[in-house]
mmCIF file of all heavy atoms in Angstrom:
data_model
loop_
_atom_site.group_PDB
_atom_site.id
_atom_site.type_symbol
_atom_site.label_atom_id
_atom_site.label_comp_id
_atom_site.label_asym_id
_atom_site.label_seq_id
_atom_site.Cartn_x
_atom_site.Cartn_y
_atom_site.Cartn_z
ATOM 1 N N LEU A 399 -59.693 -13.796 112.431
ATOM 2 C CA LEU A 399 -60.165 -14.977 113.137
ATOM 3 C C LEU A 399 -59.593 -15.070 114.566
ATOM 4 O O LEU A 399 -60.300 -15.336 115.562
ATOM 5 C CB LEU A 399 -59.786 -16.238 112.389
ATOM 6 C CG LEU A 399 -60.199 -17.534 113.017
ATOM 7 C CD1 LEU A 399 -61.725 -17.663 113.183
ATOM 8 C CD2 LEU A 399 -59.750 -18.744 112.160
ATOM 9 N N LEU A 400 -58.239 -14.791 114.673
ATOM 10 C CA LEU A 400 -57.654 -14.823 116.045
ATOM 11 C C LEU A 400 -58.241 -13.656 116.951
ATOM 12 O O LEU A 400 -58.445 -13.871 118.131
ATOM 13 C CB LEU A 400 -56.167 -14.645 115.915
ATOM 14 C CG LEU A 400 -55.414 -15.851 115.269
ATOM 15 C CD1 LEU A 400 -53.945 -15.559 115.146
ATOM 16 C CD2 LEU A 400 -55.626 -17.161 116.171
ATOM 17 N N THR A 401 -58.481 -12.492 116.335
ATOM 18 C CA THR A 401 -59.087 -11.443 117.099
ATOM 19 C C THR A 401 -60.513 -11.806 117.608
ATOM 20 O O THR A 401 -60.825 -11.512 118.781
ATOM 21 C CB THR A 401 -59.127 -10.127 116.264
ATOM 22 O OG1 THR A 401 -57.839 -9.788 115.778
ATOM 23 C CG2 THR A 401 -59.775 -8.993 117.011
ATOM 24 N N PHE A 402 -61.219 -12.376 116.736
ATOM 25 C CA PHE A 402 -62.646 -12.823 117.113
ATOM 26 C C PHE A 402 -62.477 -13.899 118.231
ATOM 27 O O PHE A 402 -63.331 -13.865 119.142
ATOM 28 C CB PHE A 402 -63.397 -13.305 115.907
ATOM 29 C CG PHE A 402 -64.804 -13.685 116.171
ATOM 30 C CD1 PHE A 402 -65.708 -12.704 116.488
ATOM 31 C CD2 PHE A 402 -65.159 -14.988 116.236
ATOM 32 C CE1 PHE A 402 -67.064 -13.002 116.777
ATOM 33 C CE2 PHE A 402 -66.525 -15.314 116.478
ATOM 34 C CZ PHE A 402 -67.471 -14.378 116.770
ATOM 35 N N THR A 403 -61.542 -14.822 118.087
ATOM 36 C CA THR A 403 -61.406 -15.883 119.124
ATOM 37 C C THR A 403 -61.060 -15.200 120.450
ATOM 38 O O THR A 403 -61.585 -15.661 121.487
ATOM 39 C CB THR A 403 -60.337 -16.824 118.720
ATOM 40 O OG1 THR A 403 -60.608 -17.402 117.435
ATOM 41 C CG2 THR A 403 -60.154 -17.926 119.727
ATOM 42 N N ALA A 404 -60.208 -14.181 120.454
ATOM 43 C CA ALA A 404 -59.871 -13.504 121.732
ATOM 44 C C ALA A 404 -61.120 -12.852 122.324
ATOM 45 O O ALA A 404 -61.314 -12.815 123.579
ATOM 46 C CB ALA A 404 -58.697 -12.491 121.418
ATOM 47 N N ILE A 405 -61.950 -12.252 121.491
ATOM 48 C CA ILE A 405 -63.166 -11.544 121.939
ATOM 49 C C ILE A 405 -64.088 -12.587 122.604
ATOM 50 O O ILE A 405 -64.622 -12.303 123.706
ATOM 51 C CB ILE A 405 -63.835 -10.825 120.760
ATOM 52 C CG1 ILE A 405 -62.954 -9.708 120.313
ATOM 53 C CG2 ILE A 405 -65.182 -10.311 121.223
ATOM 54 C CD1 ILE A 405 -63.521 -8.953 119.087
ATOM 55 N N ILE A 406 -64.246 -13.778 122.052
ATOM 56 C CA ILE A 406 -65.067 -14.773 122.635
ATOM 57 C C ILE A 406 -64.527 -15.222 123.909
ATOM 58 O O ILE A 406 -65.269 -15.398 124.936
ATOM 59 C CB ILE A 406 -65.213 -15.964 121.646
ATOM 60 C CG1 ILE A 406 -65.919 -15.633 120.382
ATOM 61 C CG2 ILE A 406 -65.899 -17.190 122.321
ATOM 62 C CD1 ILE A 406 -65.940 -16.743 119.402
ATOM 63 N N SER A 407 -63.176 -15.367 123.991
ATOM 64 C CA SER A 407 -62.542 -15.819 125.266
ATOM 65 C C SER A 407 -62.775 -14.756 126.338
ATOM 66 O O SER A 407 -63.060 -15.125 127.543
ATOM 67 C CB SER A 407 -61.017 -16.015 125.110
ATOM 68 O OG SER A 407 -60.827 -17.035 124.155
ATOM 69 N N LEU A 408 -62.705 -13.509 126.010
ATOM 70 C CA LEU A 408 -62.885 -12.421 127.001
ATOM 71 C C LEU A 408 -64.384 -12.468 127.434
ATOM 72 O O LEU A 408 -64.653 -12.236 128.670
ATOM 73 C CB LEU A 408 -62.560 -11.037 126.457
ATOM 74 C CG LEU A 408 -61.113 -10.736 126.135
ATOM 75 C CD1 LEU A 408 -60.914 -9.412 125.499
ATOM 76 C CD2 LEU A 408 -60.271 -10.721 127.400
ATOM 77 N N ASN A 409 -65.306 -12.654 126.528
ATOM 78 C CA ASN A 409 -66.723 -12.707 126.908
ATOM 79 C C ASN A 409 -66.944 -13.825 127.892
ATOM 80 O O ASN A 409 -67.637 -13.716 128.873
ATOM 81 C CB ASN A 409 -67.586 -12.889 125.707
ATOM 82 C CG ASN A 409 -67.962 -11.651 125.016
ATOM 83 O OD1 ASN A 409 -68.902 -11.035 125.410
ATOM 84 N ND2 ASN A 409 -67.206 -11.225 124.006
ATOM 85 N N LEU A 410 -66.374 -15.075 127.603
ATOM 86 C CA LEU A 410 -66.579 -16.172 128.489
ATOM 87 C C LEU A 410 -65.958 -15.949 129.873
ATOM 88 O O LEU A 410 -66.556 -16.368 130.904
ATOM 89 C CB LEU A 410 -65.977 -17.401 127.844
ATOM 90 C CG LEU A 410 -66.626 -17.964 126.546
ATOM 91 C CD1 LEU A 410 -65.871 -19.104 125.967
ATOM 92 C CD2 LEU A 410 -68.099 -18.314 126.886
#
Side-chain angles (χ1 to χ4, degrees):
L399 179 59
L400 292 176
T401 301
F402 184 70
T403 302
I405 293 174
I406 293 177
S407 298
L408 291 176
N409 273 276
L410 292 176

